[in-house]
Amino acid sequence: MATTKRELPLKEATVFRNLLKNYELRQYKKGLKLAEGILKKFPDHGETMAMKGLFLNNLEKKEEGYEYVKKGLLKDLTSHICWHVYGLLYRADKNYEEAAKCYANALKFNKNDLNILRDFAILQTQMRHYDALVDTRTRLLESKPQNPPFWLGLAIAYQLVNEPQNGVKVLKTHDESNIPAASTNFEKSELLMYHNMLLEETGDFQSALDHLLEIESKVTDKRAWKEKHALYLVKLGKKEEAEKAYRLLISENPHNGGYINELLALKDKGKRERERVCVSESNTILSELFAQYPRSKAIEHLILHHAEGESFKVKVEASLQNGLRKGIPSLFAAMKKYYVDAEKKRVIEELVTGYSASLEKNGTFGSESTKEPPTALLWTLYYLAKHYDHHAQLDKALELINKAIAHTPTVVELYMTKGRILKHSGKPQEASDVMNEAREMDLQDRFINSKSAKYMLRAGKIEEAERVLGLFTRKDVNTIQDLTDMQCQWFMTEEGNAYLAKKDYGKALKRFHTLEKFYVDYFDDQFDFHTYCLRKLTLRSYVETLRWEDKLRAHPFYLKAAKGAVEAYLALADKPSESDEFDEANMTEADKKKARNKARKAALKAQQDQEAKKEKINIYKIAQIKEEATKQKHDKKPVDLDPEGEQYSNTKTPLEDALQFVKPLELLAPQNVEVHALGFEIYIRQQKYLLAIKSLTKMASIDKNTPRFKTDLDRFEAAVKAHKDLDPKIKQVIDLQLAEIKKA
């Protein structure tokens, strides 16, 4: 191991300290000059070399920066500064695992360095190493107990390892130390409410309520205080007080359905055996609330939800007539939630079809009604078209929407609904044409523009869709780049599926991986908040964000992209190799020779085409790089060096790559049949039969009646039967699992 004298003479040591300050102040050029000055006199000083590398890295000379840091580390392997700097470089590249190793090495040589401990704690939070985080936060607090964020960081660490009672003890000790953590009223309020959050998570609701009442005058977030107050009263069984608390919340926001449901739940508790009494009482409460807040849609919908029989008919009739008279396009979306009840669905359908007939005949909703505006018939036809579309009576839906268009041919919503009906009818080309017609009626509407582009993608009109979307994207970059910068998830999934339908697997996977990178970015974006939130005391929101980030990949868009990516990778994995393209078993020698020559020529041509294509791409890349080099430094437009997605389509490990999409979903969406079906498709091809049977077992436990379950089960049994060299122990486990599945 190469070692040199670490201590610098007094003059250079002072320069080195200034150099460290330059880094903290982000004065990288100045710091680089100072580092170079020291290295002229002491060229083997490892810590200075490492700092020079750090400055170079921040001046966008990454390769040179890494080179100097590695040299500096080799010169002084026991320097905590060199290891810390090496960790900072990895952290800047978001290589958190390697950065953590470097910080751990740095702490071996300087156990109590605050900067290293703080950076290590941030990294552990980002990587979700919460048990180790408690230890690091404890060491930070012991090193500098007069720093309030260190107290709060330890409390949060305990909360994240599900020990909120220890977090409460930390906050109480901090209060007793008289070290002020908050300066403004807002910060004091947030700290107190966070303390209350910890008490709630301990399950001691009485202590949480007592604390909440104690801090009432100091809390600025009054709405959150009232919500917690009502919640604790419910948890403690104080129904009368809880009812008052929820009525107060409803008076402040009568449009919040959650408050109203909580109030109704108070009345329902303990009365399950008298269900009709409960329904009657719920209806009485809702009627009373609606009289007080007649503009509340939340109350109106809950009235319809709880109403039954003739009462429902009377109330829904008023809502329907009001919506049709006013021409509310979202009326069907509001009503379809009641369709889960067959009787309510029948009543609504009967009423609306009656309105349609009556309006056509005499312009009224009924024989005794007053004349309605002509638009009432239009919106009634519109409602019925959506109604029949929802129930897959597509011919009837199309007939009604055409009738509505004939009545008033200038309403955009009618054409959008017609496009939707055509889509459901399996006519993507016609649906796309109609949706584009709707777009051209209102060229200023971004929503209909996006809707039209989406339908074009589903019809396979990829270039046309990009052109249409380009009408609303930035003009200084191409459309795809702007949509990528805006992290437009729907576009990436739709265009990925469009390329997948064309069997252009490279471009399809490029889109799906772009969306996957969005989720990586979402996760990386939280990094700066690990310190910011401790300083600004937004602790409740911070903890909620960490928990939200942990479940982020359960989002439907990620599932859609994962399905598309797995399908593309499976297609690549199933693609026959050149040796499989013809079967020599039943050929004569002459036929075999011909077939081999033909295959050889085809392979040679394919190779030449591939090389020509690569050469074109390389020429394009070189031209782009040269063009970029000549531009101003401030003009940094990103260049796509792999527009065809060849790095994905040429993968040698398609099944392993597909698994990277499925693994997070197996943890975050364990109740989704599709996730386990995707996993099964990969494992069966990898001949990992235990994992495949595990996926089948989960599919069976969720829904054994899914159409593909029986098919997959048969495929699995056939694959196991065909595998002659299967380990007897594995075979025994599989047989037991199959018996369990069939018995369930």
Side-chain angles (χ1 to χ4, degrees):
M1 182 175 74
T3 57
T4 56
K5 190 177 178 182
R6 183 181 303 165
E7 293 78 16
L8 290 167
L10 182 61
K11 183 181 176 183
E12 280 72 23
T14 305
V15 173
F16 186 78
R17 284 194 295 273
N18 289 333
L19 178 151
L20 294 175
K21 286 179 184 176
N22 289 145
Y23 174 73
E24 290 173 6
L25 297 170
R26 300 186 181 183
Q27 297 172 348
Y28 304 130
K29 288 183 180 179
K30 192 174 180 182
L32 181 61
K33 283 183 181 179
L34 293 178
E36 287 172 342
I38 295 173
L39 289 172
K40 280 179 183 177
K41 295 181 181 178
F42 302 94
D44 291 333
H45 190 253
E47 291 180 348
T48 305
M49 291 176 81
M51 287 304 299
K52 180 179 178 179
L54 185 59
F55 288 127
L56 287 167
N57 186 69
N58 283 287
L59 291 169
E60 299 181 10
K61 296 179 181 177
K62 186 181 290 188
E63 290 182 10
E64 200 177 341
Y66 266 101
E67 189 181 331
Y68 270 97
V69 172
K70 287 175 183 176
K71 283 181 182 176
L73 190 59
L74 286 171
K75 296 289 184 185
D76 194 349
L77 281 169
T78 60
S79 166
H80 68 278
I81 291 177
C82 290
W83 281 110
H84 188 193
V85 168
Y86 202 16
L88 290 174
L89 258 63
Y90 276 125
R91 192 186 79 179
D93 286 342
K94 298 175 183 175
N95 188 343
Y96 301 127
E97 292 288 346
E98 290 301 320
K101 290 175 188 175
C102 293
Y103 290 156
N105 280 324
L107 288 169
K108 286 179 186 176
F109 305 114
N110 191 345
K111 293 181 180 180
N112 297 313
D113 186 286
L114 284 179
N115 289 327
I116 301 172
L117 283 169
R118 186 179 62 244
D119 286 349
F120 200 23
I122 293 167
L123 210 58
Q124 287 168 333
T125 309
Q126 181 76 6
M127 296 165 67
R128 304 305 193 255
H129 295 171
Y130 292 143
D131 290 324
L133 176 66
V134 172
D135 178 59
T136 306
R137 286 290 179 190
T138 302
R139 287 164 67 183
L140 270 170
L141 182 58
E142 288 171 350
S143 299
K144 196 172 181 181
Q146 63 271 30
N147 190 338
F150 292 169
W151 291 89
L152 304 178
L154 181 57
I156 288 172
Y158 277 124
Q159 184 183 14
L160 295 173
V161 293
N162 297 316
E163 294 179 16
Q165 66 280 1
N166 288 332
V168 171
K169 288 177 185 175
V170 170
L171 291 183
K172 283 182 177 176
T173 308
H174 173 250
D175 287 342
E176 291 164 4
S177 69
N178 293 321
I179 300 170
S183 55
T184 66
N185 288 338
F186 170 77
E187 290 176 351
K188 291 172 185 173
S189 167
E190 283 297 304
L191 183 56
L192 291 169
M193 287 299 287
Y194 175 68
H195 190 161
N196 192 260
M197 181 187 189
L198 289 178
L199 287 168
E200 179 190 353
E201 291 188 12
T202 63
D204 186 351
F205 296 109
Q206 186 60 57
S207 295
L209 179 61
D210 293 341
H211 178 262
L212 195 70
L213 294 170
E214 183 185 327
I215 65 174
E216 180 180 5
S217 61
K218 300 173 186 175
V219 173
T220 58
D221 189 350
K222 298 298 181 186
R223 180 184 57 79
W225 187 95
K226 289 171 185 174
E227 286 176 348
K228 290 297 179 188
H229 182 232
L231 175 67
Y232 297 155
L233 291 171
V234 171
K235 295 285 186 184
L236 294 167
K238 300 180 179 181
K239 291 185 181 178
E240 290 184 9
E241 293 176 61
E243 182 179 342
K244 288 179 184 176
Y246 275 115
R247 284 187 180 276
L248 176 62
L249 284 165
I250 291 167
S251 70
E252 293 178 356
N253 184 6
H255 306 288
N256 188 319
Y259 299 157
I260 302 159
N261 279 320
E262 288 293 342
L263 179 61
L264 297 177
L266 285 171
K267 296 295 181 183
D268 287 350
K269 285 177 182 175
K271 295 185 181 179
R272 297 295 178 199
E273 70 285 355
R274 292 181 291 155
E275 201 167 310
R276 287 188 180 177
V277 176
C278 289
V279 170
S280 174
E281 193 165 356
S282 294
N283 285 331
T284 303
I285 293 169
L286 288 167
S287 298
E288 174 200 324
L289 289 172
F290 195 58
Q292 286 180 271
Y293 315 107
R295 296 172 67 86
S296 170
K297 287 293 177 187
I299 298 171
E300 183 181 338
H301 289 311
L302 281 168
I303 287 172
L304 292 173
H305 175 73
H306 287 274
E308 292 177 346
E310 191 61 31
S311 173
F312 174 77
K313 185 175 181 179
V314 171
K315 287 166 181 172
V316 81
E317 190 166 18
S319 292
L320 284 169
Q321 288 186 12
N322 183 53
L324 296 171
R325 186 179 292 119
K326 289 183 175 179
I328 299 172
S330 61
L331 181 63
F332 175 77
M335 287 292 161
K336 72 178 178 183
K337 66 170 77 74
Y338 310 120
Y339 284 20
V340 291
D341 185 319
E343 177 59 22
K344 288 183 177 180
K345 189 198 88 166
R346 185 194 64 77
V347 168
I348 292 171
E349 184 176 354
E350 193 178 277
L351 285 170
V352 183
T353 50
Y355 297 156
S356 175
S358 182
L359 286 164
E360 284 187 3
K361 187 177 178 181
N362 51 38
T364 65
F365 284 126
S367 56
E368 298 177 5
S369 303
T370 57
K371 283 276 186 184
E372 300 297 336
T375 53
L377 174 59
L378 167 71
W379 294 109
T380 303
L381 292 169
Y382 176 76
Y383 184 99
L384 283 171
K386 292 184 81 80
H387 170 85
Y388 289 120
D389 177 43
H390 181 72
H391 292 99
Q393 297 179 34
L394 301 171
D395 291 338
K396 206 166 184 180
L398 196 57
E399 180 190 336
L400 285 162
I401 201 66
N402 282 332
K403 200 172 178 181
I405 290 170
H407 182 284
T408 310
T410 56
V411 179
V412 175
E413 285 84 359
L414 302 181
Y415 294 88
M416 291 174 69
T417 300
K418 182 177 179 180
R420 185 179 175 83
I421 295 166
L422 288 167
K423 178 189 74 172
H424 293 158
S425 302
K427 299 174 181 176
Q429 295 292 340
E430 291 179 45
S432 169
D433 293 340
V434 171
M435 197 61 77
N436 191 52
E437 194 178 343
R439 179 188 71 83
E440 288 173 348
M441 293 173 72
D442 188 356
L443 295 171
Q444 301 300 313
D445 191 321
R446 187 176 189 135
F447 173 76
I448 183 61
N449 178 276
S450 298
K451 213 47 163 163
S452 177
K454 182 177 177 180
Y455 274 61
M456 287 174 181
L457 289 169
R458 290 183 176 179
K461 303 174 185 175
I462 297 173
E463 294 78 12
E464 179 65 10
E466 290 178 3
R467 184 192 67 77
V468 166
L469 286 168
L471 299 172
F472 280 86
T473 57
R474 285 159 47 208
K475 304 305 174 191
D476 55 330
V477 294
N478 70 53
T479 302
I480 304 297
Q481 185 59 51
D482 191 43
L483 292 168
T484 302
D485 293 342
M486 291 194 296
Q487 298 180 327
C488 187
Q489 295 190 55
W490 75 262
F491 171 75
M492 295 303 163
T493 53
E494 292 295 339
E495 185 159 86
N497 285 323
Y499 280 122
L500 190 60
K502 290 178 179 287
K503 297 188 178 180
D504 189 341
Y505 301 123
K507 285 185 178 178
L509 285 166
K510 188 173 178 66
R511 297 291 177 266
F512 296 135
H513 275 278
T514 299
L515 184 138
E516 195 268 341
K517 188 179 180 302
F518 293 165
Y519 284 82
V520 172
D521 290 342
Y522 300 151
F523 196 80
D524 288 338
D525 286 345
Q526 66 186 299
F527 197 92
D528 292 336
F529 290 97
H530 299 318
T531 50
Y532 174 86
C533 292
L534 292 180
R535 287 188 290 106
K536 295 296 183 181
L537 278 75
T538 53
L539 306 178
R540 290 179 298 154
S541 299
Y542 172 59
V543 172
E544 287 167 6
T545 300
L546 291 180
R547 290 170 175 171
W548 172 78
E549 289 272 8
D550 290 340
K551 296 181 284 188
L552 190 56
R553 290 186 191 230
H555 194 281
F557 271 126
Y558 184 83
L559 177 58
K560 285 181 185 176
K563 283 170 64 180
V566 170
E567 191 178 332
Y569 277 125
L570 292 178
L572 292 172
D574 294 342
K575 194 183 287 185
S577 62
E578 288 172 20
S579 60
D580 297 332
E581 286 179 1
F582 59 90
D583 184 8
E584 297 184 354
N586 299 315
M587 290 184 179
T588 64
E589 283 302 319
D591 289 338
K592 286 179 185 177
K593 191 173 181 181
K594 279 183 186 177
R596 286 170 187 162
N597 285 334
K598 189 177 178 181
R600 202 178 298 115
K601 285 177 183 177
L604 185 62
K605 187 175 186 306
Q607 187 179 349
Q608 287 171 346
D609 290 346
Q610 188 71 15
E611 285 174 0
K613 196 174 183 182
K614 278 185 181 176
E615 191 177 344
K616 280 183 183 177
I617 290 170
N618 287 334
I619 291 167
Y620 170 78
K621 285 181 182 177
I622 292 165
Q624 287 289 347
I625 291 166
K626 284 181 179 178
E627 187 182 337
E628 284 300 305
T630 57
K631 287 183 180 180
Q632 297 289 335
K633 284 185 179 180
H634 60 80
D635 183 24
K636 296 176 183 175
K637 292 181 184 176
V639 179
D640 188 354
L641 300 179
D642 185 19
E644 301 298 317
E646 288 190 349
Q647 70 177 101
Y648 304 115
S649 59
N650 294 335
T651 179
K652 302 298 181 186
T653 55
L655 296 177
E656 289 75 8
D657 294 344
L659 204 55
Q660 297 306 309
F661 278 89
V662 177
K663 280 292 184 187
L665 290 169
E666 288 180 331
L667 296 172
L668 298 172
Q671 294 305 309
N672 192 312
V673 176
E674 291 182 9
V675 170
H676 302 299
L678 293 174
F680 172 80
E681 292 292 347
I682 297 167
Y683 298 134
I684 196 75
R685 285 169 172 80
Q686 292 178 323
Q687 297 187 349
K688 294 181 177 178
Y689 296 120
L690 289 178
L691 290 171
I693 192 68
K694 183 180 177 183
S695 295
L696 283 174
T697 304
K698 287 183 177 177
M699 287 170 71
S701 67
I702 298 165
D703 186 359
K704 201 175 179 181
N705 300 317
T706 50
R708 66 176 298 167
F709 174 72
K710 179 72 171 66
T711 309
D712 287 347
L713 186 61
D714 292 342
R715 283 173 60 205
F716 178 77
E717 288 181 315
V720 171
K721 192 175 179 181
H723 201 286
K724 303 298 183 186
D725 303 326
L726 196 62
D727 188 314
K729 291 180 180 178
I730 293 175
K731 182 73 168 66
Q732 186 181 0
V733 173
I734 288 171
D735 290 340
L736 286 169
Q737 286 294 317
L738 285 172
E740 287 291 324
I741 289 172
K742 290 174 181 177
K743 188 169 66 177

